[in-house]
Amino acid sequence: MRFHQILCPIDFSPSSRRALRTAARLAKRDHAGLVILHVGYAGDPGLGDYQFSTEILANVVTDERRHLDDALIEMKQLGVDHVSAELLRGHPWPQISERLDGDPTLDLVVIGARGRTGASRFLFGSVAEKVIRHAPCPVLVTGEGIEALPFRRILCPVDFSAGSQHALDLIPKAIDPSSEVTLLHVLDAPPSYAKEPSLRTFEDDLDREAASQLTKAADALRPNVTASVGTRVVVGHPSEEILRVLEASPPFDLVIMGSHGRTGLKRVLLGSVAERIAHHAPCPVLIARPADPEPRTS
C-alpha cells in the first residue's frame, strides 16, 4: 500500500518549503502524483483588512506564479515525475477544503505547522489546525526546522480507540521497509494513584491490561509490515509523555496518531492532544483519518 495523490498547500514560507520537500520525497518513493497548491489571499474588507490597488494585486499574482513555477522546477529536479501547481484566491482554509472535497483521489495532505505572519499569513496556526481536524484523508504536518528524512524510527501512540486503530491501519502505507515501529500507550492516571497503595494496585492492573492489548496490536501489525514492531507503556499526561518520549535518543523520524481517541481516564488522542503533538513534535506527525469521515464544517 502506498499513497497515490498528494496535496501540498504552500505559502512560500520556510516551513511550507520544508513540507514541500517532504511531499516530494513521498511522491518519489510511491510514484505518486503531487499537487502544489497556493491560495492567494489579498485581505477581506469586511474584516478591516488593507485593500491593495489593482496594480499591486497584479504584481502579487505574477510573483505567486513565479514562485509556483520555481517550485515545479525544484520538484522535477528532485525526481518527482507527476507534479502540477495550482493558484487559487480567497481565504486559505475554505479553498483548501473545497479542493480536497472536489478530488477524492487525494489521499494525503502534507502541510507546514507554521507559515507567514502579517497580512500575507496563510498556514499559520488556525488553518493548519482546521486541516488536521477536518481533512478527509491523512494529514502529514512538518514543524519548524524539520527537513525531509526517511522515516526509519516511527512512534505510534495507541489508546485502543477507533482513532488509534486508523493510525495502526495507516502504518503499512506510510513507513519505509527498514523502519522500526514503537507502539506507545500512555496510562493517564491521576497523581493520587502514586500515594494510595490500593490505587497503585489498580494502576498495575491497568498497566498489565494495556501491555496485553499493545501486544495484540503489535501481533496484528507484524504480518503487514517488514519493519520491527515494539511496544511501550508509560504513565502520565498523554501529550507530555508523548513529547517526552520523542525527546529521547535516538530520535524518532515520524509520529503516526489518530485524530480522536478515548475520553476520560484513558484519554490519549482527543483532538487537542493530537494538535499539540503536531505543533510541538521534533519530527513530522502523520494524523490518520477514518476511511469515511463525517461531513466537515468550517
Side-chain angles (χ1 to χ4, degrees):
M1 294 189 296
R2 289 300 184 189
F3 296 111
H4 300 289
Q5 192 80 345
I6 301 170
L7 178 71
C8 185
I10 64 172
D11 64 357
F12 313 123
S13 66
S15 178
S16 70
R17 291 185 183 279
R18 284 189 290 270
L20 184 57
R21 287 192 291 271
T22 298
R25 190 188 75 78
L26 290 171
K28 182 178 179 180
R29 184 197 71 177
D30 296 352
H31 303 287
L34 174 60
V35 178
I36 307 170
L37 174 65
H38 176 72
V39 182
Y41 179 57
D44 186 336
L47 298 177
D49 291 341
Y50 178 79
Q51 294 300 288
F52 297 98
S53 67
T54 302
E55 181 179 358
I56 291 177
L57 285 176
N59 291 334
V60 168
V61 172
T62 299
D63 192 52
E64 290 169 338
R65 293 191 182 280
R66 178 176 59 82
H67 283 303
L68 282 176
D69 288 341
D70 291 343
L72 284 172
I73 293 172
E74 181 183 2
M75 294 301 98
K76 291 289 187 179
Q77 292 174 341
L78 291 175
V80 181
D81 294 327
H82 308 289
V83 57
S84 60
E86 299 178 9
L87 175 61
L88 302 178
R89 308 216 66 78
H91 287 280
W93 160 242
Q95 292 296 325
I96 295 171
S97 176
E98 189 173 319
R99 183 63 179 85
L100 288 168
D101 284 337
D103 189 351
T105 68
L106 293 168
D107 57 356
L108 178 67
V109 179
V110 181
I111 190 169
R114 296 289 185 271
R116 293 187 178 187
T117 59
S120 58
R121 181 174 69 239
F122 293 107
L123 303 181
F124 179 77
S126 62
V127 174
E129 289 165 6
K130 286 181 179 177
V131 173
I132 292 171
R133 292 177 187 176
H134 303 296
C137 60
V139 179
L140 180 62
V141 183
T142 62
E144 293 296 321
I146 298 174
E147 294 293 341
L149 298 171
F151 300 141
R152 295 194 176 96
R153 296 192 74 241
I154 290 88
L155 181 70
C156 181
V158 176
D159 69 350
F160 316 118
S161 66
S164 61
Q165 185 58 54
H166 297 144
L168 291 168
D169 294 340
L170 186 59
I171 288 175
K173 193 173 185 177
I175 66 175
D176 294 309
S178 60
S179 298
E180 300 176 4
V181 179
T182 299
L183 306 185
L184 173 71
H185 178 72
V186 181
L187 190 60
D188 189 4
S192 60
Y193 276 30
K195 300 177 182 179
E196 297 292 338
S198 61
L199 292 179
R200 286 205 305 272
T201 300
F202 179 51
E203 182 183 319
D204 290 341
D205 291 340
L206 289 177
D207 197 344
R208 283 191 291 270
E209 176 63 20
S212 174
Q213 291 193 57
L214 271 184
T215 298
K216 292 179 182 178
D219 290 343
L221 177 63
R222 289 189 180 100
N224 301 315
V225 297
T226 59
S228 63
V229 182
T231 63
R232 183 176 177 183
V233 178
V234 298
V235 179
H237 185 275
S239 59
E240 292 176 1
E241 293 305 319
I242 294 170
L243 290 172
R244 184 174 291 112
V245 170
L246 289 173
E247 291 171 357
S249 182
F252 286 93
D253 303 312
L254 178 68
V255 179
I256 302 178
M257 63 191 303
S259 57
H260 297 285
R262 295 180 184 268
T263 58
L265 177 64
K266 299 174 75 174
R267 182 182 69 239
V268 177
L269 307 180
L270 180 63
S272 61
V273 175
E275 291 167 15
R276 183 179 179 190
I277 301 304
H279 284 288
H280 296 287
C283 63
V285 178
L286 180 59
I287 307 295
R289 304 293 303 175
D292 295 306
E294 296 180 358
R296 293 189 302 229
T297 59
S298 58

